[in-house]
């Protein structure tokens, strides 16, 4: 198999957190993005249920693939930590 064919099957995506940290992942274009999401959470030591992944403001589902979302090489996915807690108290 030539390198050209192998490179065409893969895509490099940047995942950027709210604090500006960036991680890069190289995955097959047909791979479900759950694999990328799990790897991101594992590397950052966060619970996957507390992170939302967005592309162009739209939430990414675990079974989405780069092909389905028409992702291009070097596209950015935003990782947003779910805000929980907080309350408003009237005195």
């Amino acid at each position: 198999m030539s390198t050209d064919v192998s490179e065409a099957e893969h895509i490099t995506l940047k995942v950027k957190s709210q604090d500006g940290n960036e991680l890069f992942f190289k995955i097959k274009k047909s791979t479900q993005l759950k694999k990328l999401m799990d790897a991101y959470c594992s590397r950052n030591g966060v619970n996957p249920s507390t992170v939302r992944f967005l592309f162009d403001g739209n939430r990414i589902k675990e079974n989405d693939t780069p092909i389905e979302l028409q992702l291009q090489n070097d596209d950015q996915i935003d990782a947003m930590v779910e805000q929980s807690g907080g309350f408003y108290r009237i005195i």
Side-chain angles (χ1 to χ4, degrees), residues 1-89:
M1 183 186 311
S2 75
T3 305
D4 293 337
V5 172
S6 176
E7 289 298 315
E9 294 175 0
H10 289 84
I11 186 170
T12 300
L13 298 171
K14 173 172 59 174
V15 181
K16 187 172 182 177
S17 66
Q18 289 169 291
D19 61 7
N21 288 332
E22 298 176 349
L23 286 177
F24 292 85
F25 296 90
K26 185 173 183 176
I27 63 171
K28 286 187 178 180
K29 293 179 180 179
S30 59
T31 299
Q32 290 187 351
L33 289 169
K34 179 183 188 330
K35 189 171 181 179
L36 175 146
M37 295 172 178
D38 288 345
Y40 175 87
C41 291
S42 176
R43 287 189 193 179
N44 285 290
V46 295
N47 184 332
S49 68
T50 64
V51 183
R52 302 295 175 252
F53 294 89
L54 307 172
F55 176 67
D56 283 345
N58 297 312
R59 187 164 174 188
I60 297 172
K61 297 185 292 288
E62 290 183 342
N63 61 344
D64 285 337
T65 66
I67 291 173
E68 292 171 338
L69 298 179
Q70 299 179 347
L71 296 174
Q72 302 295 317
N73 210 33
D74 298 324
D75 273 349
Q76 177 178 305
I77 293 173
D78 297 309
M80 312 298 283
V81 176
E82 187 177 64
Q83 299 296 318
S84 62
F87 64 92
Y88 185 73
R89 183 174 167 188

